[in-house]
Amino acid sequence: MSIKKGKDIKLNVQPIMFAVYHEYVFEGPCRFGEGEQLTKEFDMMRIATIADAFNEEVTSNLNDVPFVNVLDPLVIKRDETFPITDDILAECAAHDDEADIYLVKFHPFGIDLALAMAQKVKKPMCSVLQCCNDTGMVAALRPRGCEAFGWASWEDAIEGFKVLRARKVLRNTRVLAVPRNNSDHSLSALDSFYRHEDVTDKLGVEFRYYNLHEFLDQTKNVDPTTNPTLPGRKADNINDEDEAIIRQRVEEFMAGADECDMSAEDIFPSMKANYLVNKLMDKLDCNAFAAPCPDMCATRRLNEGRFTLCLNHSLNNENGICSACEYDLSALISMVFLSNLSFSAPYMGNTSVGKLTSDSGLEVSPLLKRNGDSYAGAVDAMEKAGKIAYTFHAVPNRKLFGFDAEQEPYAIRPFAMGGRWGATIRYDFAKDAGNTVTMARFDPLCEKIFICRGTIVSGIGYKDENCTEGVFFEVDNAKKFHECQLQVGNHVPLVYGDHFDNAVALAKLLGLEVLTIE
């Protein structure tokens, strides 16, 4: 399968040098030197030397940045009359079909050409500290409605490129959305995006809808023309070749687990659902996924097929294909937002704040206490009363520390308590106490975003089933956390690491109002 994963998308940076040479030998307020230094030949030699130095600077700072692709550099030469012609602009835009941003070097002038270029190609211009030209360019372009960035160091530039790349990923996100009754909402996620068209206009994300029952029919290995929802039409049903691949994946999945409470046959249906999701995403050029939970559960077809989509979400998230529970598209795009700043797999779930009860216990969702699973790490931190929040769902993954990191230990347990079906990854969040997490969620109108960071305190649900898997974290102010959630909704996804500053920068780049407790 050739799904264009968000994590693999790079920012194409076009180095471009705007240079001036002189046709005549003369001196003036912007032309000085003596002898041969005033000749055109000397100017051309100087331009070549500075261009080589600029290319070396770019190469040494960006070639090892994995999310940046540096295009072949351009050198644009003009005489001292500073002409701007169609031919010159076409020369500037030689690689515009690939370029995402233009990294500009001036020798010694060229802000006028950078402005004309930005107005023509509608792409950002940027520079890394070079005397007075970068401030002059940015202050000239921005008031005229053109994007421009000036960074004081290459370290700052790389962080800026990281943010711009994440915006590019959002613009290239195509969601395979599988609704049952309503393509805008699931009954359990009415706090999600209100109008998908607004999200497309604002972020560039596209939504491609696929009928839930057609999807469920195709999980069955039958003649692909016999599906009751598509009679006579050849569909994309799981076939014998697919099943062989799926069974191999089940074996590998079980072999890698520290603990496994399920048989291969009971895991198979959930792995099969994941395979079909990816098969359809590949066919429809999608790279993100969401489907409803209660709405689909009510059909009883999940019970009949003996699977949930929990394992699908976990596996896809750790493979750089964001995948969300409950048809919560606000959570899904928040996951894309976070994952592509952190280069790690996100985790989403029901999110709330804890409160201390009269008997000095930490009160949380009754689901989390069903089997008496301990959350002592949170309770013991009594001095943190008013600072504890938590997130729980059965969709953790093994790449929370980064897509390129070693796979984390995990267990395999069923979602269904009685029937022992519906494979889920179980993860011991308690072992990660002390790690920083960054959280974010868009509001229903795609006008605001809640961004926050916290510190992991403990975990819960590793030995349990169902949606009882969870993580507790300390935040600066749980009351403010709750107040922000009232504006954005329930599921607040998280990623590991402190990505707060870049998340705020990306939000502002997208024109969003930032809500935070900090």
Side-chain angles (χ1 to χ4, degrees):
M1 297 182 187
S2 56
I3 297 170
K4 189 177 182 181
K5 301 175 183 178
K7 73 180 183 69
D8 296 332
I9 293 175
K10 295 188 177 186
L11 187 76
N12 294 326
V13 177
Q14 174 65 75
I16 187 167
M17 179 173 161
F18 297 141
V20 174
Y21 64 87
H22 297 76
E23 289 284 2
Y24 301 95
V25 175
F26 66 95
E27 286 191 80
C30 295
R31 169 71 163 157
F32 35 84
E34 56 184 8
E36 68 172 10
Q37 295 173 353
L38 299 176
T39 65
K40 178 179 177 179
E41 291 74 19
F42 186 87
D43 279 351
M44 290 301 193
M45 180 184 68
R46 184 68 176 149
I47 288 170
T49 300
I50 292 175
D52 286 344
F54 177 51
N55 294 340
E56 174 60 31
E57 182 182 10
V58 171
T59 298
S60 63
N61 284 282
L62 295 184
N63 266 16
D64 293 332
V65 179
F67 56 85
V68 167
N69 178 42
V70 180
L71 302 179
D72 290 339
L74 298 172
V75 179
I76 311 301
K77 303 170 188 175
R78 299 184 293 166
D79 67 32
E80 71 270 33
T81 63
F82 309 112
I84 296 178
T85 66
D86 289 345
D87 285 346
I88 288 175
L89 289 173
E91 187 182 354
C92 293
H95 306 152
D96 193 59
D97 56 340
E98 295 179 82
D100 296 312
I101 187 169
Y102 287 84
L103 176 59
V104 181
K105 175 72 174 178
F106 298 103
H107 175 63
F109 305 113
I111 291 174
D112 62 322
L113 186 50
L115 173 60
M117 178 71 176
Q119 291 171 328
K120 178 180 175 64
V121 301
K122 310 298 184 186
K123 291 180 181 177
M125 304 283 147
C126 71
S127 67
V128 180
L129 190 59
Q130 47 176 309
C131 187
C132 48
N133 276 309
D134 46 358
T135 53
M137 179 184 73
V138 172
L141 268 61
R142 285 182 176 175
R144 291 173 170 86
C146 301
E147 274 197 317
F149 304 90
W151 294 294
S153 69
W154 282 101
E155 290 78 14
D156 290 344
I158 290 168
E159 291 303 304
F161 289 150
K162 185 183 294 183
V163 171
L164 288 163
R165 190 205 76 93
R167 180 178 68 174
K168 179 181 179 180
V169 174
L170 284 166
R171 290 174 173 175
N172 284 274
T173 296
R174 307 292 177 258
V175 179
L176 178 60
V178 183
R180 180 190 173 200
N181 296 321
N182 184 310
S183 61
D184 282 335
H185 305 104
S186 164
L187 66 88
S188 65
L190 289 170
D191 53 352
S192 189
F193 288 131
Y194 181 61
R195 282 175 48 86
H196 295 177
E197 295 87 349
D198 293 343
V199 181
T200 301
D201 290 344
K202 189 92 173 183
L203 308 180
V205 175
E206 293 182 11
F207 301 92
R208 296 171 182 171
Y209 307 99
Y210 199 92
N211 181 275
L212 172 66
H213 288 285
E214 291 179 18
F215 168 78
L216 290 169
D217 281 350
Q218 291 172 83
T219 62
K220 297 181 178 180
N221 186 354
V222 298
D223 179 343
T225 65
T226 64
N227 292 323
T229 53
L230 296 167
R233 180 178 293 276
K234 186 177 181 180
D236 294 289
N237 290 66
I238 296 294
N239 55 41
D240 291 343
E241 181 180 348
D242 295 334
E243 286 203 352
I245 296 171
I246 295 164
R247 292 193 184 282
Q248 178 62 34
R249 291 183 181 180
V250 170
E251 290 180 13
E252 294 170 357
F253 182 51
M254 296 177 70
D258 285 3
E259 302 176 35
C260 182
D261 292 350
M262 300 182 70
S263 69
E265 287 305 308
D266 287 335
I267 295 171
F268 178 81
S270 293
M271 191 69 76
K272 179 172 63 174
N274 170 248
Y275 189 92
L276 178 61
V277 166
N278 285 275
K279 190 176 183 180
L280 293 174
M281 280 198 290
D282 186 38
K283 177 182 179 179
L284 299 171
D285 291 328
C286 292
N287 55 8
F289 177 80
C293 292
D295 319 46
M296 185 161 32
C297 181
T299 68
R300 297 190 62 185
R301 297 195 65 183
L302 294 179
N303 183 82
E304 177 191 60
R306 304 185 77 250
F307 70 89
T308 66
L309 288 171
C310 305
L311 183 61
N312 168 74
H313 299 321
S314 293
L315 295 179
N316 277 356
N317 281 324
E318 70 183 28
N319 283 320
I321 303 168
C322 288
S323 193
C325 316
E326 299 188 52
Y327 203 74
D328 189 341
L329 299 172
S330 288
L332 177 65
I333 306 308
S334 302
M335 294 158 77
V336 176
F337 178 100
L338 288 169
S339 180
N340 286 284
L341 289 173
S342 66
F343 297 94
S344 63
Y347 173 64
M348 72 161 284
N350 297 312
T351 307
S352 188
V353 296
K355 63 178 180 178
L356 292 174
T357 62
S358 57
D359 61 354
S360 298
L362 187 70
E363 183 177 301
V364 296
S365 167
L367 276 175
L368 299 185
K369 293 189 283 188
R370 184 178 55 77
N371 280 353
D373 209 344
S374 171
Y375 47 89
V379 175
D380 289 347
M382 297 304 293
E383 73 278 6
K384 297 173 183 173
K387 291 188 175 185
I388 298 296
Y390 59 98
T391 291
F392 63 98
H393 255 187
V395 290
N397 61 75
R398 303 164 294 181
K399 291 289 185 176
L400 293 165
F401 284 98
F403 293 123
D404 295 330
E406 291 294 321
Q407 180 175 285
E408 291 294 303
Y410 65 101
I412 303 170
R413 308 197 204 281
F415 187 92
M417 294 178 281
R420 311 300 291 176
W421 51 265
T424 68
I425 289 176
R426 313 307 287 193
Y427 182 81
D428 185 9
F429 284 105
K431 75 178 182 60
D432 298 337
N435 278 276
T436 300
V437 295
T438 304
M439 295 153 277
R441 179 179 173 86
F442 290 88
D443 83 317
L445 297 178
C446 200
E447 295 174 351
K448 305 175 184 179
I449 188 169
F450 173 38
I451 302 172
C452 181
R453 58 189 147 200
T455 304
I456 294 176
V457 174
S458 189
I460 195 170
Y462 173 72
K463 293 188 175 296
D464 211 343
E465 308 92 5
N466 212 274
C467 269
T468 54
E469 178 81 55
V471 56
F472 293 93
F473 44 88
E474 178 189 358
V475 295
D476 284 346
N477 188 312
K479 182 178 180 181
K480 287 184 178 179
F481 187 100
H482 180 65
E483 290 171 354
C484 288
Q485 268 201 271
L486 293 175
Q487 298 183 63
V488 299
N490 171 20
H491 304 124
V492 183
L494 62 83
V495 290
Y496 276 31
D498 187 349
H499 308 285
F500 181 86
D501 291 342
N502 280 347
V504 170
L506 177 55
K508 291 180 177 178
L509 192 64
L510 296 169
L512 300 166
E513 178 186 345
V514 176
L515 307 174
T516 184
I517 65 175
E518 302 181 28

